[in-house]
Amino acid sequence: MAGVGLVGVGDMGVQMLPHLLAAGFTVTAFDIDQTRRDAALAAGARIADSPAAVAATADVVITLVMSDDIPAAHFGAHGVLAGLRPDSVLVIGSTTTPGMIDDVRAHAGDGALLADAPIIGGVRYAREKAVTFLLGGCDEASRRATAVLEVLGKVERVGAFGSGVRYKLITNAFVMAAEVGLREALDLTDILGGDYPTALRLFQIGPMAAVVKRALDADNPRPLRASAQDFDALLSVVEDPALLPISAAGRERLWAAVDGDPDYEPMFIDLTRRTTARQPYRR
């Protein structure tokens, strides 16, 4: 059974780790947070002292870090690429930008076996082995990555290396517009003097039922800030945000929701609450 490396044992990684162990993989993990490392050790993983050390032990390395953390996790003397063996596969599971993925390729060199596999689905989906990976990579990298990723959910191969990130941004443009539309519909509820329970009940009658169900799912936690940052990544790939006016307006509204109260860090479910309403309706 192949050895799997896991760099990033946060909200998603901690849910995926037990599935990898249950499938018989030997898992070596690293996270910059000591509490997360301790949790991974308690779950049955081996713990390394750097991303490079993880890569040195693994046949397939999966990195699950925030986009801004990709350089620190992958580059330099202690990064994944420093320890990646010539016959090992690196799978980047982050939602990031084409530019960042191109940087990883440039640092790794043309001979490295790389795949990008950003994830559709949140914490609950990871816990239930129901996420979908948008997999980009050459035939060999994709085949070997799939053997591991299919233990964690569904794999949709979408093209060459870098295609996964590009299609994740494309799908985000659609999904996130619907999510911000939910918040705007509740803004209108405030303006017209309606109540949220009635509005949310009516939203679930029509075609937006899936969006509302996801927003109300307390078992699928996600910081709203992370969704706002996804809008930043999405708009960074176009020279002029006016080319994507719905996304540009959505980013503005979502950051207003995140930053509305400096003493409160909203979660995604707060989109359905007056904690993210506009002033003077916020409470």
Side-chain angles (χ1 to χ4, degrees), residues 12-21 64 119 126 131 133 152:
M12 296 293 283
V14 74
Q15 302 296 334
M16 294 178 176
L17 175 58
H19 303 318
L20 294 169
L21 294 169
L64 296 169
I119 300 164
V131 297
F133 296 94
L152 305 171

Side-chain angles (χ1 to χ4, degrees), residues 10 39 49 57 136 176 195 227 234 236:
D49 60 5
T57 69
M176 292 163 64
D195 68 83
S227 293
L234 171 61
S236 74

Side-chain angles (χ1 to χ4, degrees), residues 2-174:
V4 174
L6 195 60
V7 176
V9 198
D11 292 340
M12 296 293 283
V14 74
Q15 302 296 334
M16 294 178 176
L17 175 58
H19 303 318
L20 294 169
L21 294 169
F25 293 112
T26 299
V27 180
T28 304
F30 174 81
D31 196 284
I32 59 173
D33 184 275
Q34 181 64 51
T35 301
R36 292 175 178 176
R37 292 198 298 272
D38 291 344
L41 179 64
R46 301 174 179 176
I47 304 301
D49 60 5
S50 70
V54 170
T57 69
D59 302 296
V60 175
V61 183
I62 304 171
T63 60
L64 296 169
V65 300
M66 298 299 292
S67 180
D68 289 346
D69 296 327
I70 287 176
H74 293 79
F75 307 152
H78 302 291
V80 168
L81 295 178
L84 190 68
R85 305 195 309 248
D87 60 341
S88 296
V89 178
L90 169 60
V91 182
I92 302 166
S94 309
T95 295
T96 185
T97 64
M100 187 68 77
I101 284 292
D102 291 344
D103 283 348
V104 175
R105 167 55 77 192
H107 279 78
D110 292 337
L113 288 171
L114 306 180
D116 63 317
I119 300 164
I120 294 177
V123 169
R124 180 171 65 81
Y125 299 88
R127 185 166 58 247
E128 297 174 357
K129 298 195 292 185
V131 297
T132 298
F133 296 94
L134 304 184
L135 178 62
C138 69
D139 288 346
E140 177 66 9
S142 295
R143 180 185 65 79
R144 292 176 57 189
T146 297
V148 176
L149 298 180
E150 64 186 2
V151 170
L152 305 171
K154 182 180 179 181
V155 178
E156 289 283 350
R157 188 172 178 190
V158 294
F161 179 67
S163 298
V165 161
R166 287 167 169 82
Y167 278 108
K168 178 61 188 298
L169 294 177
I170 290 167
T171 58
N172 271 1
F174 194 177

